[in-house]
């Protein structure tokens, strides 16, 4: 490869040294347009493929940079095509999940695509598991050309792969323009900068292309090309065509434009259409423009052949500058853009790219109304696939053009803010909704405003600002009449129910009865609130009756209402029956119901809390490891982090989330997220956190018994409060806890937790009823299937059985308050946590495929883990593994 010998040598050296122990290899190629980046990475890819690497190549396109996960989807599809008949080995256990990523992948697997796109966590997990399995057998090289145009979601997926992959060799090679790096891509410590050719390199290239011209011509062309390989090649091509050694310094773009103008009218129009379409130039669109396939075949056999190359189901230009040159040489592009728009609008099932192209061409023609209407179509298409990031992106760009009309005002902002909430942007949603309500007043929009008020109230409740939500309702209640007031009123009823405010609930439901004529949505909202209030009053039967009625009345057009009912049913069953009923229900629920946003997070949290209560702390920590992200809102982070916070405090063992626990605790206090602070601050104090946190504990403790729970608050607040107060030796806080005869939450789980907390506080104060309280708590937790809490309470009461003592010993429990310890979490036989999980499931009799499905891995990854397990334990069979696991336990 002329002029790039040194750079190729560097790339080869880096890939040769790659290996599992070194971690993922991240290599970036940077250079100006025309310098040969694409040719360079294609050469590296080809050499790697010849050396036995598993290479997947994809190019990013400017038109697709707003299409979420398009690059990642193409990488997955490319990997499946590369695997061919061997794909079954690597997708075993992941088939349905991969088919949900993208219709192309589903088609390659012969599976019907799913309408709903996976959420970010699941997508990243599937992507990583797929390539983890492939990397078990191959060195994997993912090549991403024109990475400056990669969509943000794909960049995040590649970052997740680099951070999480634990098997084999994986390398990521990106090519991009200088200063255009996407910061969401994994950071690359190695960069190969492709600079313009020096004089000798330029001369070498010219001689290779024009071996018969005199040296003076070689020097002239090399000088005029300014070291840019594309310019040099273009000049050489011009010399070859015109038989002259003269170069008049016209730009590469002008030269290409002149060549295009010299073509026949049909060839020129075809190239111009391709340039305006923009890469990728898909055949399915070309066939809309040229219904006779032979027309396209004839054109591609003519002069245009030298400018275009085939790339699977589409064409692309030999270089981006050729496309730019053709567009810049057009005097009038309006008629051709109109043709492209009509062709795109005739596609029966348009993809997001098709909408993006209509928008781009509409704006280029000055038709902002069509662009805006297409944004609305794109929003609906993305919404149907639950591609929430795409909904947010399209909504924000639509608003930059114009405000929605009165007829579409409410629907637009409801969709936009729903997507913001699901993508963890509740704080932004409150600002958008506030602005929307102000704009509606200014524009005199009244239809549907009650729905936006209700949505704002719901977001405020999520952000632990329920009082502000009720104030908002009071402000709008007099302005909204009849059916417009019903959604906001039903949300006010919901806030009162979730706050266990019986008086407020009765008052607001009476107001709703007087309003009359409520629809299914508002009635269902009221019934869900009734169910939660009943559970808080300790009336489980009434709670279930309300949920059953809600299931009948739920609006069939609103899937999220049914999901909300199932979520609350799950929460309420936990609060009534603890682990006895919830463990199987959670597994069944997540298999049949697709949760989004906070319901998705808190359903996963329930998995972890259930595991903590049963004493399965490895599973609990694995749940956090798989699902927690530092960028989620404080209110969600606190629920997740309560799991490692409790385990770390009870064992004195450091966890990977200690810094986040401290950070989120401080943020919860600073931003007045009181309920979230209750989740974490006590456990942080037990661990010996900063004095700043200890100073806030007293105020949190004093209000804790009467603090209204949120639906997900089924955790461990009371015990944390009691242990923290004991560590602080705070008589006042201990007395408050010991003398609390009842709590605002009378559900069975809450009462058991508060009984345990009262017992701990009473024991710290040397009260006579301590043993009785702890004994009652132990019995109640035993009935709830919460083995850990039952064992802990029994141990504190001095009545623990041999099995209970054994469980506490196995968990590494220490008396608290304790000094901080630095010990690592115990592992069985030197196995990693993931290997422990695989070993445990295999010893339970599961096949490799069943293990893969259970742990959301590929079957090949399970095989690799088993090989490692056998080696570490020095065994040779599954029978020996079962025996060895029993010995370890």
């Amino acid at each position: 490869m002329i002029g790039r010998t040194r750079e190729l040598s560097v790339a080869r050296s880096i890939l040769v040294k790659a290996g599992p122990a070194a971690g993922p290899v991240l290599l970036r190629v940077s250079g100006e347009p025309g310098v040969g980046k694409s040719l360079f990475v294609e050469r590296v890819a080809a050499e790697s493929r010849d050396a036995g690497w598993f290479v997947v190549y994809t190019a990013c396109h400017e038109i697709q940079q707003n299409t979420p996960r398009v690059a990642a989807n193409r990488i997955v599809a490319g990997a499946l095509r590369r695997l061919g008949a061997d794909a079954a080995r690597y997708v075993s256990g992941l088939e349905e999940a991969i088919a949900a990523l993208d219709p192309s992948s589903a088609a390659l697997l012969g599976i019907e695509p799913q309408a709903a796109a996976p959420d970010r966590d699941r997508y990243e997990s599937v992507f990583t598991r797929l390539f983890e399995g492939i990397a078990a057998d191959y060195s994997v090289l993912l090549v991403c050309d024109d990475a400056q145009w990669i969509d943000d979601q794909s960049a995040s997926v590649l970052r997740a792969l680099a951070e999480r992959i634990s098997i084999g060799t994986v390398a990521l090679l990106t090519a991009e323009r200088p200063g255009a790096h996407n910061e969401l891509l994994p950071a690359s410590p190695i960069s190969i900068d492709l600079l313009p050719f020096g004089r000798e390199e330029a001369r070498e290239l010219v001689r290779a292309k024009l071996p018969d011209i005199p040296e003076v011509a070689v020097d002239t062309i090399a000088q005029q090309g300014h070291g840019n390989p594309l310019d040099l090649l273009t000049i050489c091509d011009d010399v070859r065509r015109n038989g002259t050694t003269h170069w008049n310094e016209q730009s590469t773009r002008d030269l290409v434009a002149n060549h295009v103008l010299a073509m026949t009218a049909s060839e020129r129009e075809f190239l111009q259409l391709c340039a305006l379409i923009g890469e990728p130039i898909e055949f399915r669109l070309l066939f809309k423009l040229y219904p006779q396939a032979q027309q396209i075949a004839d054109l591609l056999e003519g002069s245009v052949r030298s400018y275009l190359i085939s790339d699977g189901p589409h064409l692309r230009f030999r270089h981006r500058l050729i496309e730019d040159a053709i567009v810049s040489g057009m005097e009038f592009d309006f008629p051709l853009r109109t043709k492209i728009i009509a062709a795109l609008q005739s596609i029966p099932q348009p993809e997001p790219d098709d909408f993006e192209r209509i928008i781009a061409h509409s704006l280029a023609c000055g038709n902002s109304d069509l662009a805006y209407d297409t944004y609305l179509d794109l929003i609906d298409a993305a919404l149907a696939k639950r591609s929430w990031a795409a909904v947010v992106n399209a909504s924000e760009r639509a608003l930059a053009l114009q405000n929605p009309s009165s007829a579409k005002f409410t629907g637009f902002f409801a969709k936009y803010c729903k997507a913001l909430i699901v993508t963890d942007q509740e704080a932004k949603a409150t600002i958008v909704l506030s602005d929307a309500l102000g704009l509606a007043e200014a524009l005199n929009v009244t239809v549907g405003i009650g729905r936006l008020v209700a949505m704002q109230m719901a977001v405020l409740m999520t952000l632990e600002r329920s009082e502000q939500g009720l104030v908002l309702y009071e402000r709008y209640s007099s302005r909204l009449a009849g059916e417009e007031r019903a959604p906001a009123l039903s949300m006010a009823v919901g806030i009162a129910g979730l706050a266990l405010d019986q008086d407020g609930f009765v008052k607001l439901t009476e107001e709703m009865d007087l309003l009359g004529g409520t629809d299914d949505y508002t009635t269902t909202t009221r019934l869900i609130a009734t169910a939660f209030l009943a559970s808080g009053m300790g009336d489980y039967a009434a709670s279930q009756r309300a949920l059953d009625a809600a299931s009948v009345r739920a609006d069939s057009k609103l899937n999220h209402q049914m999901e909300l009912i199932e979520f609350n049913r799950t929460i309420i069953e936990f609060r009534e029956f603890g682990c006895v009923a919830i463990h199987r229900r959670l597994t069944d629920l997540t298999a049949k119901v697709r949760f989004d946003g906070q319901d998705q997070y808190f359903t996963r949290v329930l998995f972890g809390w259930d595991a903590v209560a049963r004493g399965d702390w490895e599973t609990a920590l694995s749940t956090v490891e798989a699902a927690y992200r530092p960028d989620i809102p404080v209110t969600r982070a606190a629920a997740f982090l309560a799991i490692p916070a409790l385990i770390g405090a009870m064992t004195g063992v450091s966890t990977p989330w200690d810094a986040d626990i401290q950070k989120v605790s401080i943020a919860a206090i600073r931003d007045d997220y009181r309920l979230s602070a209750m989740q974490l601050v006590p456990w942080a104090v037990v661990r010996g956190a900063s004095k700043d946190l200890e100073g806030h504990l007293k105020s949190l403790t004093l209000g804790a018994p009467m603090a209204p729970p949120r639906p997900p608050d089924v955790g461990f607040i009371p015990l944390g409060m009691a242990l923290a107060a004991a560590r602080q030796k705070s008589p006042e806080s201990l007395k408050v806890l010991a003398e609390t005869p009842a709590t605002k939450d009378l559900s069975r789980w809450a009462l058991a937790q508060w009984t345990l907390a009262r017992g701990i506080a009473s024991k710290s104060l040397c009260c006579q009823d301590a043993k009785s309280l702890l004994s009652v708590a132990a019995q109640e937790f035993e009935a709830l299937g919460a083995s850990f809490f039952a064992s802990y309470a029994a141990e504190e009461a001095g009545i623990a059985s041999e099995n209970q003592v054994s469980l506490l010993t196995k968990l590494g429990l220490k008396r608290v308050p304790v000094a901080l310890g630095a010990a690592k979490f115990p592992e069985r036989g030197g196995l990693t946590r993931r290997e422990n999980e695989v070993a445990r499931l295999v010893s339970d009799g599961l096949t490799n495929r069943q293990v893969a499905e259970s742990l959301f891995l590929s079957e090949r990854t399970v095989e690799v883990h088993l090989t490692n397990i056998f080696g570490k334990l020095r065994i040779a069979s599954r029978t020996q593994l079962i025996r060895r696991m029993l010995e370890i336990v």
Side-chain angles (χ1 to χ4, degrees):
M1 188 174 185
I2 295 174
R4 299 302 182 203
T5 304
R6 183 187 63 82
E7 291 86 350
L8 274 174
S9 178
V10 172
R12 291 173 188 139
S13 175
I14 292 168
L15 293 176
V16 165
K17 295 177 182 177
V25 174
L26 308 172
L27 176 59
R28 182 171 64 190
V29 175
S30 176
E32 297 291 347
V35 81
K37 299 186 299 297
S38 296
L39 185 62
F40 182 85
V41 297
E42 287 173 4
R43 176 65 173 272
V44 174
E47 289 188 359
S48 300
R49 193 177 293 111
D50 292 341
W53 284 70
F54 185 96
V55 179
V56 180
Y57 173 93
T58 189
C60 302
H61 304 288
E62 189 171 12
I63 194 68
Q64 295 176 321
Q65 60 186 326
N66 290 312
T67 305
R69 299 173 183 160
V70 63
N73 285 339
R74 293 183 68 181
I75 289 172
V76 172
L80 295 177
R81 281 191 289 269
R82 167 77 172 77
L83 289 168
D86 291 334
R89 183 183 185 194
Y90 299 94
V91 303
S92 177
L94 297 173
E95 295 95 336
E96 295 294 334
I98 292 175
L101 302 185
D102 178 64
S104 297
S105 297
L108 288 167
L109 294 175
I111 297 176
E112 284 294 320
Q114 298 184 19
D119 61 80
R120 185 175 90 172
D121 290 341
R122 184 172 176 80
Y123 190 105
E124 291 176 355
S125 180
V126 173
F127 190 92
T128 300
R129 300 310 179 213
L130 172 64
F131 283 100
E132 196 171 52
I134 297 171
D137 292 331
Y138 300 93
S139 293
V140 176
L141 173 62
L142 305 182
V143 182
C144 189
D145 196 9
D146 281 325
Q148 69 272 5
W149 286 313
I150 192 170
D151 61 283
D152 287 349
Q153 292 74 22
S154 291
S156 296
V157 169
L158 293 175
R159 177 187 287 272
L161 176 68
E163 291 174 348
R164 299 178 187 176
I165 196 158
S166 59
I167 291 177
T169 300
V170 174
L172 173 63
L173 172 62
T174 60
E176 60 191 40
R177 296 177 182 178
H181 179 64
N182 189 317
E183 296 299 329
L184 294 176
L185 282 168
S188 172
I190 307 167
S191 178
I192 296 178
D193 298 322
L194 299 184
L195 302 175
F197 283 171
R199 180 173 178 273
E200 288 305 316
E201 294 165 324
R203 284 168 54 83
E204 183 182 357
L205 178 61
V206 175
R207 283 197 199 95
K209 294 298 179 182
L210 301 170
D212 299 327
I213 64 172
E215 284 299 304
V216 64
V218 172
D219 287 336
T220 300
I221 295 173
Q223 181 181 358
Q224 297 303 325
H226 302 293
N228 186 293
L230 181 65
D231 286 351
L232 289 165
L233 291 171
T234 304
I235 297 171
C236 290
D237 183 58
D238 186 61
V239 169
R240 187 184 299 108
R241 287 173 187 237
N242 298 319
T244 175
T245 58
H246 177 68
W247 175 252
N248 61 6
E249 298 189 14
Q250 66 180 339
S251 70
T252 303
R253 289 181 175 83
D254 289 341
L255 180 59
V256 173
N258 288 338
H259 287 170
V260 172
L261 288 173
M263 292 179 176
T264 66
S266 59
E267 289 175 331
R268 181 169 60 252
E269 180 174 293
F270 181 76
L271 271 184
Q272 289 172 337
L273 283 168
C274 287
L276 289 173
I277 289 171
E279 295 183 1
I281 308 159
E282 295 169 307
F283 282 111
R284 66 185 180 92
L285 179 55
L286 290 176
F287 287 137
K288 290 289 183 181
L289 292 163
Y290 296 88
Q292 299 299 321
Q294 190 59 44
Q295 288 180 279
I296 298 176
D298 292 342
L299 287 165
L300 291 176
E301 288 299 319
S303 300
V304 303
R305 186 185 186 92
S306 61
Y307 292 101
L308 296 166
I309 56 177
S310 178
D311 187 7
H314 56 263
L315 299 171
R316 61 183 174 93
F317 286 98
R318 293 189 179 274
H319 195 278
R320 181 75 60 180
L321 290 183
I322 296 174
E323 176 187 335
D324 295 342
I326 295 171
V327 173
S328 64
M330 296 175 63
E331 189 172 357
F332 299 107
D333 62 11
F334 182 86
L336 295 181
R337 289 189 186 276
T338 302
K339 280 187 178 181
I340 294 171
I341 291 172
L344 288 164
Q345 290 176 324
S346 70
I347 294 174
Q349 293 181 322
E351 296 291 328
D353 282 358
D354 301 323
F355 292 119
E356 293 285 2
R357 284 195 165 107
I358 294 173
I359 292 165
H361 291 299
S362 300
L363 292 174
C365 295
N367 191 344
S368 59
D369 288 340
L370 176 57
Y372 179 81
D373 290 339
T374 307
Y375 274 127
L376 301 187
D377 292 336
L378 177 56
I379 290 169
D380 288 338
L383 197 65
K385 293 185 176 182
R386 296 194 179 197
S387 184
W388 302 108
V391 174
V392 171
N393 184 288
S395 299
E396 291 176 347
R397 288 190 286 153
L399 280 178
L401 284 180
Q402 63 187 59
N403 290 319
S405 64
S406 298
K408 297 183 177 180
F409 191 93
T410 304
F412 175 88
F413 282 106
K415 296 169 187 174
Y416 177 23
C417 291
K418 168 69 173 177
L420 286 173
I421 294 166
V422 171
T423 53
D424 304 331
Q425 300 180 74
E426 286 97 340
K428 183 174 182 179
T430 62
I431 297 172
V432 171
L433 284 166
S434 179
D435 291 344
L437 290 171
L439 181 62
E441 192 169 348
L443 299 176
N444 198 30
V445 175
T446 57
V447 176
I449 296 306
R451 183 181 173 192
L452 294 186
V453 172
M455 179 171 273
Q456 178 74 306
M457 293 168 67
V459 177
L460 289 170
M461 181 171 61
T462 298
L463 294 174
E464 301 181 20
R465 304 287 185 268
S466 296
E467 298 83 358
Q468 294 179 22
L470 292 174
V471 169
L472 184 69
Y473 169 70
E474 291 297 330
R475 189 165 78 225
Y476 275 90
S477 61
S478 59
R479 307 182 199 179
L480 303 171
E483 63 182 26
E484 280 298 328
R485 183 152 59 100
L489 177 54
S490 68
M491 188 53 62
V493 170
I495 290 174
L498 295 177
L500 305 184
D501 178 4
Q502 198 166 13
D503 292 340
F505 181 85
V506 170
K507 177 184 175 183
L508 288 166
T509 51
E510 289 175 350
E511 186 178 341
M512 182 174 279
D513 291 338
L514 291 173
L515 187 65
T518 55
D519 59 15
D520 287 341
Y521 177 85
T522 54
T523 300
T524 301
T525 303
R526 170 179 175 172
L527 287 168
I528 293 172
T530 302
F532 194 81
L533 177 65
S535 76
M537 297 297 105
D539 190 345
Y540 175 74
S543 179
Q544 288 303 303
R545 286 196 298 272
L547 287 176
D548 290 342
S551 297
V552 174
R553 286 297 302 269
D555 190 334
S556 60
K557 298 178 182 178
L558 299 173
N559 289 335
H560 69 271
Q561 270 209 325
M562 290 304 298
E563 294 166 5
L564 189 61
I565 292 168
E566 291 304 311
F567 176 73
N568 277 277
R569 193 186 298 277
T570 303
I571 288 285
I572 288 168
E573 284 195 9
F574 193 110
R575 288 155 56 80
E576 177 65 20
F577 300 111
C579 307
V580 172
I582 201 68
H583 189 60
R584 181 178 295 277
R585 175 167 175 76
L586 278 171
T587 303
D588 294 342
L589 182 66
T590 51
K592 71 177 182 179
V593 177
R594 177 177 172 76
F595 291 121
D596 286 305
Q598 62 177 344
D599 292 345
Q600 171 201 105
Y601 283 108
F602 290 138
T603 302
R604 291 175 177 174
V605 166
L606 275 178
F607 269 110
W609 282 354
D610 170 61
V612 167
R614 289 185 292 104
D616 185 1
W617 287 4
E618 287 189 20
T619 296
L621 291 174
S622 294
T623 300
V624 180
E625 185 176 24
Y628 171 73
R629 300 199 319 266
D631 60 343
I632 60 177
V634 169
T635 52
R636 298 181 190 176
F640 265 119
L641 293 176
I643 293 168
L646 178 147
I647 292 173
M650 298 299 285
T651 62
V653 174
S654 59
T655 78
W657 302 278
D658 287 351
D660 283 356
I661 292 169
Q662 181 84 354
K663 178 182 175 182
V664 174
S665 295
I666 293 171
I669 290 172
R670 180 194 64 220
D671 299 332
D672 195 27
Y673 292 118
R674 185 176 178 83
L675 292 172
S676 295
M678 287 181 182
Q679 297 272 18
L680 287 185
V681 172
W683 298 111
V685 170
V686 173
R687 285 292 302 272
S690 66
K691 292 294 182 183
D692 291 340
L693 289 179
E694 291 190 17
H696 291 279
L697 184 63
K698 181 178 177 181
S699 63
L700 292 174
T701 303
L702 294 177
M706 293 296 113
R710 298 171 301 171
D713 287 339
V714 296
F716 329 114
I717 290 174
L719 178 59
M721 292 284 184
L723 292 176
R727 186 185 192 284
Q728 282 188 308
K729 299 180 180 178
S730 171
E732 186 175 1
S733 296
L734 288 168
K735 188 175 181 181
V736 168
L737 294 169
E739 294 179 356
T740 299
T743 71
K744 194 167 189 177
D745 184 358
L746 301 180
S747 67
R748 192 176 176 190
W749 180 268
L751 289 175
Q753 284 284 333
W754 280 108
T755 301
L756 175 57
R758 287 178 62 200
I760 296 293
S762 296
K763 185 174 181 179
S764 300
L765 295 172
C766 300
C767 297
Q768 292 183 350
D769 62 348
K771 183 172 182 177
S772 173
L773 288 168
L774 291 166
S775 299
V776 170
Q779 293 171 7
E780 187 64 6
F781 278 123
E782 190 68 36
L784 292 168
S787 303
F788 161 65
F789 289 112
S791 300
Y792 182 75
E795 173 71 11
E796 289 294 324
I799 59 171
S801 67
E802 184 177 340
N803 287 339
Q804 289 174 328
V805 172
S806 176
L807 174 62
L808 297 179
T809 302
K810 175 185 172 183
L811 295 176
L813 203 68
K814 295 184 179 180
R815 290 280 181 177
V816 289
V818 294
L820 284 177
K824 298 295 182 183
F825 200 86
E827 296 177 344
R828 294 186 177 113
L831 304 184
T832 66
R833 181 175 296 152
R834 179 64 79 191
E835 289 166 351
N836 264 307
E837 291 172 337
V838 171
R840 176 171 51 80
L841 292 175
V842 169
S843 66
D844 287 342
L846 272 65
T847 65
N848 286 3
R849 180 180 178 86
Q850 290 170 329
V851 173
E853 292 172 346
S854 177
L855 297 179
F856 205 53
L857 303 172
S858 74
E859 192 170 348
R860 176 58 186 145
T861 303
V862 173
E863 291 174 7
V864 173
H865 282 311
L866 268 179
T867 300
N868 293 337
I869 291 166
F870 285 2
K872 288 182 178 181
L873 299 183
R874 298 181 181 180
I875 57 178
S877 70
R878 300 168 85 92
T879 302
Q880 289 177 316
L881 175 60
I882 295 171
R883 188 181 303 117
R884 186 61 188 276
M885 291 299 290
L886 290 173
E887 292 172 357
I888 294 172
V889 173

